[in-house]
Amino acid sequence: MGFVKVVKTKAYYSRYQVQFRRRREGKTDYQQRHRLITQDKNKYNSPKYRLVARITNTDVIAQIVYSKIVGDFVLCAAYAHELPRFGVKVGLTNYASCYATGLLLARRLLAKLKLADLYKGAEKVDGKVFLVKPVDDKPRPFKANLDVGLARTSTGAKVFAVLKGAVDGGIYVPHGETRFAGYNAESKKLNAETLRGYIFGKHVASYMTLLQTEDEEAYKKIFSQYIKNGVAPKDIETMYANAHKAIRANPAPAAKSNKSYKDIKSKNLSKRTIKQKKARVASIKASYKARL
C-alpha cells in the first residue's frame, strides 16, 4: 500500500462543530437572519418586524414576521392566490402581481392596527420613490425591514416589487431606488415611467403583442390562460389599476366557510367480530354463486 497523506488531523475532528440544520439544508442565511432579528437591549421586549417576501413557481408570499426565542410569529400575511378576488386571474407571479401582493399586505396590516386612515401610502402610482412620513402627535408609521431570504438581490428582482407595493401601501421600509426595475447603473437614476410600466404589467402586454405578430403558436401556448380568461394586451393595465382600487377598498381576507363534518364517515371504524366476518364472506360467496 502506498503512502496516504492525512488531510484532516485528529484535532480537527475533535473540534469540529456541526452547522445548524437549516444551514446544512441550504434554507437559511444565518448571518442575514442574525442582523434582521437582533434587537437593541435598551428597547426591551419590543419586536423587530420583518417584511418577508418569497417568490415560488406558482405563488407570491408576503408576511410581516417577528421573532421570539421560541420561534417566528406571523403578524399578517398576504398571498398572490388571493388576487383573483380582486380581479387578477392570470399572471399571479409576475412583477405586477408581486406589487399587488405587497400592497394587499400593507393595507391589511394597517387596517388590523387601525392605522389605515392615518397612513394611506401613495394612492397615485407613478413609479417614483416614496417613503411614509410620520404625522405629528399621532402614532408613527409601522416599520419593517425587508427579508429576501436566499433570493438574489439583483436590479429588477421581484422581491423588490413586493417591497414597493408594501411601501406604497403605507408601511415604512427603509430602502433605496437602486434595485427597482428601471434603474440605470450608468446614469445612477431611476426611470419612474419604466417602473410604473412594470407595476401595471406593460412589459407583459408588450410581449403578448410581439408574440401575436411574430409567433401565433407560441402566443397561444404561453398565454393560454390569458386567452381562456379573455385578457387581451390592452386590458392588462386596467386590470391591475382596478385591482389596486379593490384592494384599498377592502383588503380583508376572505371569510372562512363553515364546513360540516357530520356526514363524513370516520376511518377508524370498529373492527368486525368473527361472526360478522364469516357472515360477510358467506354473503359474498352467495351473491357470486347467484351470478353464475
Side-chain angles (χ1 to χ4, degrees):
M1 182 177 177
F3 176 78
V4 178
K5 182 182 178 182
V6 179
V7 180
K8 298 290 189 297
T9 62
K10 184 178 179 181
Y12 169 85
Y13 289 109
S14 64
R15 288 165 175 77
Y16 182 79
Q17 184 175 354
V18 179
Q19 293 174 325
F20 290 153
R21 176 181 58 82
R22 289 184 64 85
R23 172 62 188 87
R24 297 198 305 269
E25 295 173 351
K27 292 181 178 179
T28 300
D29 180 353
Y30 277 99
Q31 184 180 18
Q32 179 195 71
R33 178 177 171 81
H34 178 266
R35 293 176 182 274
L36 282 170
I37 70 174
T38 303
Q39 181 66 291
D40 298 333
K41 285 190 175 181
N42 62 1
K43 293 183 180 177
Y44 301 98
N45 203 27
S46 299
K48 195 172 185 179
Y49 296 104
R50 313 193 316 268
L51 168 60
V52 176
R54 300 289 185 269
I55 317 293
T56 70
N57 286 342
T58 57
D59 207 359
V60 179
I61 304 165
Q63 297 173 328
I64 296 295
V65 180
Y66 63 97
S67 297
K68 290 186 177 180
I69 299 255
V70 292
D72 286 1
F73 293 82
V74 178
L75 180 63
C76 188
Y79 303 91
H81 65 249
E82 298 179 73
L83 295 181
R85 285 178 47 223
F86 303 99
V88 181
K89 297 182 179 180
V90 289
L92 298 183
T93 56
N94 61 28
Y95 200 94
S97 293
C98 290
Y99 176 90
T101 307
L103 178 66
L104 176 60
L105 173 69
R107 300 314 301 165
R108 182 174 291 174
L109 172 70
L110 296 180
K112 181 178 181 179
L113 300 177
K114 299 181 180 178
L115 295 172
D117 295 331
L118 185 60
Y119 296 106
K120 295 185 178 180
E123 295 184 271
K124 182 183 177 182
V125 182
D126 53 9
K128 295 180 181 178
V129 176
F130 174 81
L131 282 174
V132 184
K133 295 181 180 179
V135 180
D136 294 337
D137 301 324
K138 296 289 183 180
R140 285 178 293 179
F142 187 91
K143 180 182 177 181
N145 296 315
L146 179 64
D147 181 348
V148 299
L150 300 177
R152 293 197 176 187
T153 54
S154 55
T155 301
K158 291 188 285 187
V159 288
F160 298 109
V162 178
L163 162 68
K164 181 61 175 169
V167 169
D168 285 359
I171 297 177
Y172 174 63
V173 184
H175 69 283
E177 62 181 21
T178 57
R179 291 306 180 194
F180 290 136
Y183 179 79
N184 191 320
E186 293 182 1
S187 63
K188 296 186 178 179
K189 289 184 180 180
L190 174 67
N191 189 332
E193 191 61 34
T194 302
L195 178 57
R196 186 189 178 279
Y198 272 82
I199 290 171
F200 286 99
K202 287 185 178 180
H203 60 297
V204 179
S206 62
Y207 185 55
M208 289 176 71
T209 306
L210 177 69
L211 281 184
Q212 278 181 325
T213 56
E214 293 189 357
D215 194 342
E216 188 71 22
E217 288 186 12
Y219 171 74
K220 290 180 180 179
K221 182 179 180 181
I222 295 172
F223 293 102
S224 59
Q225 293 302 311
Y226 285 74
I227 297 169
K228 182 179 178 181
N229 288 277
V231 180
K234 60 184 177 61
D235 303 327
I236 290 180
E237 185 174 356
T238 307
M239 177 179 72
Y240 283 109
N242 293 337
H244 296 168
K245 291 179 183 177
I247 287 169
R248 287 184 175 275
N250 182 20
K256 293 183 179 179
S257 59
N258 295 323
K259 293 182 180 180
S260 177
Y261 299 96
K262 292 181 180 179
D263 299 332
I264 298 176
K265 294 182 180 179
S266 174
K267 292 182 180 179
N268 299 324
L269 299 172
S270 57
K271 291 184 178 181
R272 299 186 182 94
T273 62
I274 295 294
K275 289 184 179 180
Q276 290 173 336
K277 288 178 181 179
K278 289 182 178 180
R280 179 172 172 273
V281 171
S283 65
I284 292 172
K285 285 182 177 179
S287 63
Y288 184 73
K289 286 180 180 179
R291 280 181 287 171
L292 294 175

